[in-house]
Amino acid sequence: MAAEKPHMNLAVIGHVDHGKSTFVGRLMFETGAVPAHLIEKYRAEAKEKGKESFAFAWVMDSLKEERERGVTIDISHKRFDTDKYYFTVVDCPGHRDFVKNMITGASQADAAVLVVAAPDGVMAQTKEHVFLSRTLGINQLIVAVNKMDAAEYSEDRYNQVKKDVSDLLGMVGFKASEIPFVPTSAFEGDNITKSSENTPWYTGPSLLDCLNDLKEPEKPDKLPLRIPVQDAYTISGIGTVPVGRVETGVMKKGQNVTFNPSGVTGEVKSIEMHHEEVPEAVPGDNIGWNVRGVGKNDVRRGDVCGPSDNPPSVADEFTGQIVVLQHPSAITAGYTPVFHCHTTQTACTLMSIDKKLDPKTGQVKEENAAFIKAGDAAIVTIKPTRPMVIEPVKEIPQLGRFAIRDMGMTIAAGMCMSVKQK
């Protein structure tokens, strides 16, 4: 078997109804990941229901409930290949109440395609997703100006949307000049795999070319080992088996590891991946591993496994830089929402708002601010209500980012600047 192509996790983000699902369905179809007869079947079904334009979207939204509501809920993982990479699409839902899924999706992504519908241009969630993807550390982006067919393939409309999106990207620190913009129609297939005669004024690369041009993510295998635990199982004949994705570093059989914040330590007896035993695991691997002397009640979701001589940092307090996305009123010291960081969900209290920043420039606007509100960025001191693992983003970026949720919505996103350990 030929060596596996390098793997990329691709998030598809953007406002609801801007054609993300159709776009992903079209990509899967054009790259041969979904056979033509299946698309035909979906097309017939969609036509019957009077929703003809949904045929490609249904490739992604295979959950029945989603079909009936016509929206995307789950993060469906789908694979497709280009000449250079194999991609897993982390399809990120656009609806307001699904931003939580969008966070889990985007935080795993190496690159993102931002889908913006040409007729509508920049909408509220276009902004929110751009902010989030930046804070969650996605630094490779492609912009698809979609639904060009509905904008009559107008070059002027394309240029206007390109300008608005460029301004938005500039606000959060992307260099718009380095980001490819492609006029597409996912429904008609324009400029997805090859140039379209409907847009003679566009001479740039197709969307597939842009995907092939992405830079391969560096494997953070030189960083200390960190594996957030997603779950722990008891398997007869083996014992307790935590499962999770290796974020950084390398795990080897025989190594001594510590789980924090629980503090239990043991020796790695076996590592399993795709139901086969492996001698070591590297970043990106989803594994189960068994540790001598660690029982079912010692490990739980949200714990992080690391080497005993350099264990994961347990924060007594930490300093974070946050961007407030939405909040019905103002946020003051004493506020205790839930922080989502790697696999943990922990309530944390805002002890103080040390600096209010201008979100566009990052300059300090106010020291020791009394409150912050939607649209503000700030540096804050945070105290978890129970022990939790978090690492400074400069040292281990994969464990330094978080989202703040309350009242069923994402209030803010942020990153950890420094940790005062327990």
Side-chain angles (χ1 to χ4, degrees):
M1 192 181 141
E4 186 73 274
K5 291 175 193 167
H7 175 234
M8 296 274 273
N9 277 323
L10 182 71
V12 178
I13 60 177
H15 193 74
V16 61
D17 290 340
H18 276 199
K20 296 193 298 291
S21 289
T22 300
F23 174 83
V24 173
R26 169 64 78 174
L27 265 181
M28 312 281 299
F29 170 64
E30 295 283 357
T31 54
V34 175
H37 72 256
L38 202 61
I39 296 278
E40 281 312 314
K41 172 175 163 267
Y42 284 141
R43 198 168 261 156
E45 265 182 49
K47 197 168 182 173
E48 234 168 73
K49 291 202 165 130
K51 286 191 168 181
E52 207 160 346
S53 69
F54 280 90
F56 284 111
W58 282 10
V59 174
M60 284 307 281
D61 302 348
S62 40
L63 296 177
K64 187 163 183 300
E65 174 201 8
E66 298 190 2
R67 272 192 206 185
E68 280 156 15
R69 287 175 55 189
V71 299
T72 316
I73 299 170
D74 191 30
I75 301 178
S76 2
H77 288 279
K78 295 278 195 288
R79 170 177 179 160
F80 70 91
D81 288 69
T82 65
D83 309 338
K84 191 172 159 195
Y85 293 116
Y86 91 81
F87 285 94
T88 306
V89 179
V90 201
D91 184 37
C92 294
H95 274 76
R96 243 306 162 35
D97 46 334
F98 304 137
V99 167
K100 181 158 94 210
N101 286 6
M102 143 79 204
I103 291 167
T104 16
S107 62
Q108 296 166 356
D110 301 306
V113 176
L114 172 65
V115 179
V116 186
D120 300 344
V122 172
M123 305 290 277
Q125 267 164 324
T126 315
K127 292 186 179 156
E128 187 172 355
H129 281 194
V130 165
F131 263 121
L132 273 171
S133 54
R134 187 64 181 164
T135 314
L136 294 166
I138 294 177
N139 36 29
Q140 300 196 72
L141 195 64
I142 296 166
V143 180
V145 180
N146 196 29
K147 300 197 179 181
M148 284 304 296
D149 53 322
E152 280 148 13
Y153 298 104
S154 153
E155 182 178 9
D156 290 345
R157 183 61 194 148
Y158 167 75
N159 286 332
Q160 184 57 51
V161 173
K162 182 175 175 176
K163 183 190 173 303
D164 297 344
V165 175
S166 297
D167 293 347
L168 173 66
L169 294 173
M171 273 174 58
V172 296
F174 280 111
K175 287 197 177 75
S177 58
E178 293 171 9
I179 289 174
F181 281 75
V182 187
T184 60
S185 161
F187 185 56
E188 298 292 347
D190 296 295
N191 295 323
I192 299 286
T193 52
K194 52 187 188 295
S195 299
S196 161
E197 50 223 35
N198 291 322
T199 52
W201 42 265
Y202 173 74
T203 54
S206 73
L207 209 107
L208 218 54
D209 295 333
C210 295
L211 290 171
N212 273 326
D213 287 344
L214 290 167
K215 291 184 193 61
E216 191 179 336
E218 283 179 27
K219 281 227 189 266
D221 51 9
K222 301 287 176 276
L223 292 173
L225 174 70
R226 295 290 183 267
I227 314 177
V229 176
Q230 278 159 11
D231 229 324
Y233 299 100
T234 306
I235 296 174
S236 60
I238 300 176
T240 301
V241 177
V243 296
R245 178 171 177 254
V246 182
E247 290 295 341
T248 56
V250 177
M251 174 183 266
K252 291 186 160 74
K253 226 171 126 166
Q255 182 176 14
N256 282 323
V257 293
T258 297
F259 291 86
N260 272 342
S262 57
V264 297
T265 293
E267 180 194 333
V268 178
K269 278 202 307 204
S270 62
I271 307 170
E272 191 177 278
M273 188 161 104
H274 304 308
H275 307 294
E276 285 175 20
E277 205 171 306
V278 292
E280 61 170 41
V282 298
D285 289 350
N286 286 299
I287 62 166
W289 69 104
N290 173 245
V291 181
R292 184 171 284 128
V294 171
K296 176 80 169 114
N297 300 329
D298 298 330
V299 239
R300 61 185 60 81
R301 182 184 168 86
D303 282 357
V304 179
C305 176
S308 298
D309 54 5
N310 186 356
S313 312
V314 180
D316 180 36
E317 278 188 356
F318 62 96
T319 308
Q321 180 173 327
I322 63 171
V323 179
V324 184
L325 301 163
Q326 52 186 342
H327 192 275
S329 57
I331 293 173
T332 56
Y335 179 51
T336 308
V338 175
F339 279 60
H340 291 243
C341 176
H342 53 86
T343 57
T344 187
Q345 296 176 11
T346 304
C348 299
T349 303
L350 244 63
M351 304 303 285
S352 56
I353 301 168
D354 309 325
K355 295 180 169 72
K356 196 191 276 189
L357 310 172
D358 179 340
K360 295 181 186 60
T361 61
Q363 299 300 312
V364 177
K365 278 206 301 203
E366 189 185 339
E367 300 272 349
N368 299 322
F371 66 90
I372 43 177
K373 56 185 192 328
D376 286 340
I379 291 178
V380 292
T381 300
I382 300 150
K383 190 174 180 69
T385 55
R386 56 187 170 83
M388 78 177 253
V389 167
I390 190 164
E391 304 278 1
V393 82
K394 292 256 190 309
E395 290 167 28
I396 305 184
Q398 293 72 9
L399 269 77
R401 303 181 191 283
F402 54 83
I404 302 175
R405 288 187 51 88
D406 188 17
M407 304 170 283
M409 59 186 179
T410 306
I411 301 295
M415 46 196 175
C416 169
M417 313 308 277
S418 64
V419 174
K420 188 173 127 201
Q421 296 212 28
K422 264 205 146 11

